[in-house]
Amino acid sequence: MTVAREGSRHPTLRRVVGRQATYHAQVEQFEVVGGARLAGEAAVSGAKNSVLKVMAASLLATGTTRLSNVPDIGDVPIMAEVLHGLGARVEGHAPDITITVPGELGFEADYDHVRRIRGSVCVLGPLIARAGRARVALPGGDAIGSRALDLHVMGLERLGAVFDNTHGYLVAEAAQLSGAQIWLDFPSVGATENIMMAAVLAKGTTTIDNAAREPEIVDLCNMLVAMGAQIGGIGTSTLEIQGVDELRPVEHHVVGDRIVAGTWAFAATMTQGDIRVRGSSHEHLEIALDKLVQAGAEVTTYDDGFAVSCDMRPRAVDVVTLPYPGFPTDLQPMAIAMNSVADGVAFVTENIFEGRFMFIDELVRLAADVRTDGHHAIVRGRERLSGAPVRATDIRAGAALVLAGVVADGVTTIADAFHVDRGYQSFVETLTQLGASIRRVPDDTLL
Ligand code: UD1
């Protein structure tokens, strides 16, 4: 079954996935009336940070790849546009899409797309492996900090690609990729993925040491293995990849979104509520859930998720973000939001993205007592926050500000709602179901 949407520019895109209407309407904001205790069920769909990569991985095989558990979020149709620009046909509607890849691929991902979702940089590895060349726009600056590509480039160069940086594009060529030993200075998620997706079709063996091992990387590895790739050490920080001549298209079910699941876990704790989360493994959130237990919440685990309840004002908990299995940087804004209404003082350290404290100025507008010094934040908990107009600076900051609005007195408006729609499926609907008073309203300040 396909759904045609008015106004789409590409014929294939008219049949693709979700929220384009919302995405174009960038002048919406969320209006939250504070005071609700959130309780009920929250269903979590596939992970944003996985679906974009497995969509890119489909480029590695000629034929039709079928993806299920695809989230209905703004980033997916944009990634579909990137694939379309490379010659692939993307059809269907979340949660089920198909990607049909021709024998001959295009090789350019343009600036208009890459700047909208820098996750699209993950086509670099597949393109070099399949097309022997790639021309991918450099993403530029970001609201959460610098996102260098040096480790991606270094790894792909080790495999034999030759790079040039010209007119805002990263241009790569490789007649033949050959396996190599690669050490990453930092376990970068994106670099690990790009190198891995090139190495699966390289000649010989590649070892990636200090590789990232996020659940989304494991999901990508599982799909590549089903496609015929030979990968050892999955889920560890040393990946050993034996190159093969070709891969075949497969059916793949995208792993549940642990960050969305974690957002609901924080929501339950900070509103002294009770939320049953389905569709994401508690094992992917161990440190975050343990922090919530330290804060006073009760966590119950199930085969298909977990439940978090809290019947007291949460206690302040210190948080340090680190690569998986450490506390995820994507949940740091939720940790700060929770600590801003907790009993006590918390020390939060951000080690992954230096710009990830930018939203704190917005949180302070809600009367939160947060001070930063470099990559440390000191959060002094208050009984309640105070509603005010604020602005989402990125996906996770936007979600955290909405949760802060739920525990604030009066009305909070969160402008630039489109950021949240990039990563959260049915955000307003889920919050409403959980008991929050939230709606989308036009942002008149921009008219
Ligand atoms: C991915 C996620 C993002 C998450 C992050 C860390 C996607 C689409 N995004 O981003 O939500 O917050 O992982 O879990 O999957 N770095 C370099 N050189 C490089 C690459 C990275 O210095 O070549 C640095 C970055 O500037 C950053 C750190 O490494 O400070 C982490 O980046 P990385 O793990 O690559 O994150 P992303 O893949 O961009």
Side-chain angles (χ1 to χ4, degrees):
M1 189 186 68
T2 59
V3 179
R5 279 167 203 277
E6 295 283 315
S8 295
R9 278 171 292 155
H10 300 290
T12 48
L13 263 178
R14 287 175 40 194
R15 290 177 233 121
V16 171
V17 203
R19 277 204 175 270
Q20 289 174 81
T22 310
Y23 207 83
H24 290 303
Q26 296 194 349
V27 287
E28 280 183 337
Q29 54 185 357
F30 298 122
E31 184 185 272
V32 180
V33 183
R37 169 183 181 272
L38 301 185
E41 284 206 5
V44 172
S45 54
K48 173 184 87 72
N49 289 351
S50 185
V51 73
L52 303 178
K53 322 306 170 64
V54 298
M55 286 175 80
S58 72
L59 296 172
L60 289 165
T62 304
T64 302
T65 292
R66 294 174 194 283
L67 299 179
S68 56
N69 205 28
V70 170
D72 189 0
I73 56 173
D75 273 13
V76 170
I78 301 176
M79 189 63 181
E81 278 190 56
V82 173
L83 299 189
H84 175 69
L86 296 168
R89 207 170 67 236
V90 187
E91 293 173 295
H93 191 283
D96 297 300
I97 66 170
T98 61
I99 303 168
T100 303
V101 176
E104 287 273 310
L105 275 182
F107 61 95
E108 177 166 326
D110 69 25
Y111 181 56
D112 185 41
H113 294 131
V114 177
R115 80 184 159 79
R116 284 158 75 194
I117 45 163
R118 62 204 56 241
S120 59
V121 159
C122 64
V123 297
L124 191 58
L127 286 185
I128 296 173
R130 268 302 300 289
R133 57 182 172 160
R135 192 166 180 272
V136 176
L138 286 160
D142 193 16
I144 62 171
S146 155
R147 297 178 84 169
L149 294 175
D150 56 315
L151 298 172
H152 302 234
V153 170
M154 177 278 294
L156 294 167
E157 277 180 343
R158 289 270 169 91
L159 297 178
V162 178
F163 277 87
D164 195 8
N165 177 347
T166 166
H167 304 299
Y169 281 78
L170 209 48
V171 181
E173 291 207 20
Q176 168 70 61
L177 294 175
S178 302
Q181 172 92 38
I182 296 163
W183 292 269
L184 295 179
D185 289 351
F186 182 89
S188 154
V189 170
T192 302
E193 290 163 341
N194 254 329
I195 297 166
M196 196 163 72
M197 285 193 277
V200 286
L201 288 179
K203 216 174 175 49
T205 306
T206 298
T207 308
I208 310 175
D209 258 322
N210 200 22
R213 52 196 181 109
E214 271 66 4
E216 295 77 27
I217 301 236
V218 172
D219 194 37
L220 175 61
C221 285
N222 289 340
M223 169 157 156
L224 292 169
V225 167
M227 292 170 79
Q230 292 184 14
I231 306 176
I234 294 174
T236 75
S237 50
T238 305
L239 292 170
E240 195 169 283
I241 301 154
Q242 184 71 46
V244 296
D245 289 340
E246 62 173 3
L247 297 171
R248 56 182 176 272
V250 289
E251 292 185 15
H252 182 75
H253 186 84
V254 178
V255 70
D257 198 316
R258 68 194 161 102
I259 304 301
V260 173
T263 303
W264 301 132
F266 274 93
T269 309
M270 65 194 279
T271 66
Q272 299 179 40
D274 184 356
I275 301 179
R276 168 78 161 94
V277 178
R278 289 185 199 275
S280 174
S281 171
H282 58 87
E283 288 171 5
H284 295 163
L285 274 171
E286 271 175 351
I287 290 191
L289 292 177
D290 186 57
K291 288 286 169 191
L292 296 180
V293 170
Q294 288 174 40
E298 191 175 318
V299 175
T300 313
T301 58
Y302 300 95
D303 285 349
D304 68 344
F306 55 85
V308 177
S309 63
C310 192
D311 56 10
M312 55 180 267
R313 181 181 175 199
R315 289 185 286 268
V317 283
D318 294 344
V319 164
V320 178
T321 67
L322 281 173
Y324 191 82
F327 189 94
T329 174
D330 286 354
L331 286 177
Q332 174 260 101
M334 292 65 173
I336 290 189
M338 184 189 80
N339 278 314
S340 69
V341 289
D343 186 8
V345 179
F347 202 65
V348 177
T349 302
E350 171 57 55
N351 286 318
I352 312 294
F353 289 111
E354 78 274 7
R356 223 161 196 167
F357 282 163
M358 270 173 50
F359 82 103
I360 287 176
D361 286 345
E362 301 294 316
L363 198 60
V364 167
R365 288 184 49 72
L366 300 179
D369 183 351
V370 190
R371 273 198 271 161
T372 58
D373 183 2
H375 65 129
H376 304 291
I378 296 166
V379 191
R380 293 185 171 81
R382 292 228 154 122
E383 288 266 356
R384 285 199 77 73
L385 301 179
S386 175
V390 293
R391 186 165 293 279
T393 48
D394 69 76
I395 305 174
R396 310 303 170 189
L401 287 167
V402 169
L403 297 188
V406 175
V407 291
D409 287 327
V411 177
T412 298
T413 53
I414 300 95
D416 288 347
F418 72 93
H419 280 300
V420 178
D421 294 326
R422 284 189 48 205
Y424 288 83
Q425 172 175 319
S426 309
F427 188 65
V428 167
E429 293 76 4
T430 307
L431 275 166
T432 304
Q433 208 177 296
L434 293 171
S437 173
I438 178 170
R439 60 186 187 127
R440 288 175 192 276
V441 292
D443 187 348
D444 296 332
T445 58
L446 297 177
L447 298 178

